[in-house]
Amino acid sequence: MFTLYGIKNCDTVKKARRWLEDNNVEFAFHDFRAEGLSQDQVQAWLDELGHAVLVNKRSTTWKQLDDAQKDQALGDDAAALLVEHPTLIKRPVLDTGKQRQVGFSAANYQALL
């Protein structure tokens, strides 16, 4: 079964959930604001996907960070900051068990699934 990570009130997450449901894809939803994430999990995502893909520099949370925190979010210690501020993670993250897809595009989901 797939896992879709995000926050429930995010419009892009809502679109991804609707697409998965409409296409009869079995998945579990993990609200990382409510349920949290482990630092190991976030580090694995960073190792696989990279900071440029995973860190959301357009988020309100990013804009509220000071320069030292922004440097941390793009450095080797990013996982700790992303666990502390999960809304810094681009959404949604779809975990198929074999790979992760960040963001939502119907065409990308169709090709992946």
Side-chain angles (χ1 to χ4, degrees):
M1 178 178 358
F2 300 145
T3 303
L4 186 71
Y5 294 88
I7 56 177
K8 64 183 173 187
N9 63 341
C10 172
D11 289 339
T12 307
V13 171
K14 289 177 185 177
K15 289 177 190 174
R17 290 177 74 172
R18 191 173 316 114
W19 189 93
L20 291 168
E21 290 165 357
D22 289 349
N23 286 276
N24 299 314
V25 176
E26 191 173 328
F27 71 99
F29 177 66
H30 182 101
D31 185 330
F32 53 59
R33 184 184 308 184
E35 300 173 58
L37 295 167
S38 75
Q39 190 163 330
D40 289 342
Q41 181 177 32
V42 174
Q43 187 61 56
W45 289 352
L46 285 165
D47 293 344
E48 177 184 348
L49 302 165
H51 294 81
V53 171
L54 197 62
V55 177
N56 185 359
K57 293 184 188 176
R58 294 174 40 193
S59 73
T60 303
T61 305
W62 175 264
K63 295 171 186 168
Q64 295 170 348
L65 297 177
D66 62 35
D67 289 341
Q69 289 172 308
K70 288 178 181 178
D71 289 343
Q72 180 184 354
L74 300 175
D76 293 336
D77 193 28
L81 187 69
L82 295 178
V83 168
E84 182 180 347
H85 301 284
T87 54
L88 287 172
I89 298 172
K90 287 183 186 172
R91 305 176 293 270
V93 177
L94 178 64
D95 186 338
T96 69
K98 295 180 182 177
Q99 68 184 78
R100 268 66 33 215
Q101 171 77 39
V102 177
F104 171 70
S105 156
N108 288 347
Y109 273 35
Q110 187 67 43
L112 186 66
L113 308 174

